[in-house]
Amino acid sequence: MTPAAAPLPAFAGSLSVLCVIFVFLVPFAGAGLALINAGLGRSRSAAHSMMSSLCVLAVAALVYFTCGFSWQGFSGGPAHIFTLGGKDFNWIAAEPFFLRHLDFNGSPAPLAALLGMLSVGLAALIPLGSGADRWRLGACCISTAFFTAWTYPLFAHWVWGGGWLAQLGANYGLGQGFVDTGGASTIQAVGGLTALSLAWILGPRRGKYTHDGMPTAIPGHNSVLVLFGCALTLVGWWGLNAAGAILFNAATPGQTVLIAINTTLSAAAAALMSAAITRTRFGKPDASLTANGWIGGLAASSGACAFVAPAEAAAIGLAAGVLVTFSVEWFELRMSVDDPSGAISAHAMGGLWGVLSVGLFAEIPARILDATGETANRHPGQWLAQMVGIATLIGFVLPMTYGLNWLLNRVYPQRVSVEAERQGMDLYELGAGAYPEFITHGDEFTER
Amino acid sequence: MKILGFLLLLAGWGLVLAALILLGAAGPRAAFVLAGVGVEIVGLVLVILAHLVPRGEYG
């Protein structure tokens, strides 16, 4: 166990306050995602969706406090390192459990812990959208515990905690190492790939596919919730991207304005692109796909928002809009993946594109690795560092998160019964619906 | 097919790691990293095929 990588930079008082403010904005992203998940599901599962969101956030906070942060750690903190091919391979942090040894004095480490606690909750909300209308509340809490205790902290340590991906530049000369400003990989792609695993394990909702394999439309029950959720997520993403840039990428206060502008432009371009594509193809713009485009643009912005010009951020958003819109259809039609909220396309595909965009567009100041350098360059090996990160997400994180959820499913089946799907999750799992003015027939209520 | 797909995903990642550790020159390293990603794509296709819903299963 040895100290890992370069330590987080000490903060001036004003930068610390600014970072705290940005971190406090992050829960808006969680609130927005919860509303989107509820709105894109069925009305008979709306209360269950919001209840699951609250439980997921609660489980994530407690498990991250218990052991998640100790395995994620922070750059410069203690870590388990072994030597491979003559290079240090920093694979997991070795912080004490229960956030012990953290000095709450305005230094960066406690802020990283707070941001991690909120980020892991946000990432754990992503699979809820894919498992809507059929994922048991208990199973979703246990799955979230696995995710928070192991999947997220491990990968977040590699990227944000001074792990081997962050050290690709120092060890192998690949640009500045794997760079992710606000969580395109750690939050969006990891959450999105977990959502894909769960969608595979749970299977599609009953009635989603006809006997000849064609999907049927099960529209979301409340577009207002969905679109209001989108507006909330923008505020949360400002906080997420800016706080991540300050804490993990040595961004200056002046850069936070650029980050907010880039985040907004990326989401705006992606949403308008989705609206234009659906208007062109179907005659009218589709609200749910436009919402997916918005979220995809936000997810993509998280990769490079601190290191690109506004025009490039808009271009990244436009590409995300195209990618997400066609990806939603592809997953549903070609892959038989029933993803009610489009979370896999918006978060996994958007996040992966955001990771790649760093290698294509970003001009990263050398001060991230070397405090003496201030020049910004497109580093020739940066795209390869980003590709290694993508390969790790698909080749390691996806099998790991699938395996964990598959094991859980063997021990504790994650999908509700046929009867529960017929009744709706609200009545079956909670005993009451989200909309009491709806008539509920007494004979449809059964004790669990 | 599912297990084979996941094994290919892991094998592709192993190829990427091996390229980083064993190869020093930029060209061969990039080629092997891309080859690893290619192996992962093949694995992903197999996993996707293994999860296609059989006709009539959920109708």
Side-chain angles (χ1 to χ4, degrees):
Chain A
M1 191 172 76
T2 52
L8 289 174
F11 277 0
S14 59
L15 189 59
S16 185
V17 171
L18 190 65
C19 191
V20 169
I21 292 171
F22 282 126
V23 173
F24 284 176
L25 293 180
V26 173
F28 282 105
L33 284 191
L35 287 176
I36 291 169
N37 289 343
L40 286 173
R42 288 166 158 153
S43 61
R44 61 193 188 200
S45 303
H48 183 272
S49 174
M50 293 304 285
M51 175 72 172
S52 300
S53 299
L54 200 60
C55 290
V56 159
L57 290 173
V59 169
L62 286 172
V63 174
Y64 190 79
F65 154 73
T66 304
C67 62
F69 182 72
S70 69
W71 288 328
Q72 177 182 343
F74 55 90
S75 191
H80 295 289
I81 299 172
F82 60 88
T83 304
L84 204 60
K87 308 285 186 186
D88 284 345
F89 194 90
N90 180 340
W91 77 280
I92 195 166
E95 289 286 321
F97 285 176
F98 303 110
L99 301 185
R100 285 178 289 131
H101 298 180
L102 272 187
D103 291 325
F104 294 93
N105 54 6
S107 62
L111 273 172
L114 176 60
L115 180 62
M117 189 176 284
L118 300 173
S119 299
V120 75
L122 182 64
L125 283 175
I126 295 169
L128 271 185
S130 299
D133 300 330
R134 60 204 190 284
W135 196 11
R136 292 168 71 186
L137 182 59
C140 113
C141 289
I142 300 171
S143 175
T144 297
F146 286 159
F147 180 83
T148 311
W150 186 247
T151 311
Y152 174 90
L154 186 66
F155 191 77
H157 174 72
W158 293 352
V159 178
W160 283 343
W164 67 274
L165 278 174
Q167 297 299 311
L168 285 177
N171 284 340
Y172 301 105
L174 301 185
Q176 301 279 21
F178 184 79
V179 171
D180 179 2
T181 307
S185 62
T186 53
I187 302 171
Q188 311 307 328
V190 171
L193 292 173
T194 303
L196 175 61
S197 301
L198 274 158
W200 273 333
I201 289 168
L202 292 171
R205 291 169 288 180
R206 297 216 167 256
K208 177 65 188 175
Y209 290 94
T210 60
H211 285 282
D212 58 359
M214 286 302 292
T216 56
I218 304 180
H221 84 281
N222 193 328
S223 296
V224 178
L225 284 185
V226 175
L227 298 174
F228 179 62
C230 286
L232 279 184
T233 54
L234 176 63
V235 181
W237 245 270
W238 287 338
L240 195 62
N241 287 349
I246 292 171
L247 276 170
F248 308 121
N249 296 280
T252 58
Q255 268 182 292
T256 57
V257 179
L258 173 70
I259 290 167
I261 287 173
N262 284 348
T263 305
T264 310
L265 283 175
S266 182
L272 286 178
M273 178 54 83
S274 295
I277 290 172
T278 51
R279 167 71 179 78
T280 305
R281 296 184 69 204
F282 310 129
K284 292 180 180 172
D286 183 282
S288 66
L289 282 171
T290 303
N292 286 149
W294 177 270
I295 299 296
L298 288 174
S301 78
S302 290
C305 59
F307 308 117
V308 293
E312 290 168 325
I316 290 169
L318 283 175
V322 175
L323 182 69
V324 169
T325 306
F326 285 103
S327 162
V328 166
E329 186 176 306
W330 190 69
F331 274 106
E332 183 173 306
L333 279 177
R334 306 282 176 205
M335 285 176 57
S336 306
V337 171
D338 182 16
D339 178 13
S341 72
I344 300 165
S345 302
H347 296 278
M349 302 301 283
L352 289 172
W353 163 237
V355 168
L356 188 60
S357 72
V358 175
L360 299 178
F361 297 105
E363 293 187 6
I364 304 167
R367 67 168 177 273
I368 289 179
L369 284 182
D370 177 4
T372 61
E374 283 292 330
T375 53
N377 290 307
R378 287 208 168 109
H379 302 277
Q382 191 63 48
W383 73 272
L384 197 57
Q386 302 305 116
M387 285 303 293
V388 172
I390 290 173
T392 304
L393 283 163
I394 297 172
F396 177 75
V397 173
L398 178 61
M400 180 175 68
T401 191
Y402 185 96
L404 285 173
N405 280 293
W406 180 84
L407 277 176
L408 172 61
N409 196 50
R410 299 283 290 182
V411 178
Y412 185 86
Q414 301 204 50
R415 185 174 175 136
V416 293
S417 64
V418 178
E419 178 60 16
E421 275 193 80
R422 190 186 67 79
Q423 274 186 10
M425 303 291 280
D426 287 358
L427 280 181
Y428 190 79
E429 288 230 295
L430 303 181
Y435 305 102
E437 67 271 25
F438 286 7
I439 296 170
T440 304
H441 297 288
D443 61 350
E444 287 188 349
F445 181 84
T446 55
E447 293 288 338
R448 290 194 62 204
Chain B
M1 187 155 66
K2 189 194 302 181
I3 293 172
L4 179 63
F6 279 119
L7 286 176
L8 280 176
L9 284 176
L10 290 168
W13 184 57
L15 199 56
V16 170
L17 287 184
L20 282 179
I21 295 162
L22 299 176
L23 300 174
R29 176 184 280 167
F32 270 78
V33 167
L34 292 178
V37 173
V39 172
E40 288 185 5
I41 290 171
V42 174
L44 199 54
V45 169
L46 288 183
V47 175
I48 290 168
L49 290 176
H51 282 94
L52 287 180
V53 177
R55 292 189 169 198
E57 176 125 326
Y58 288 95

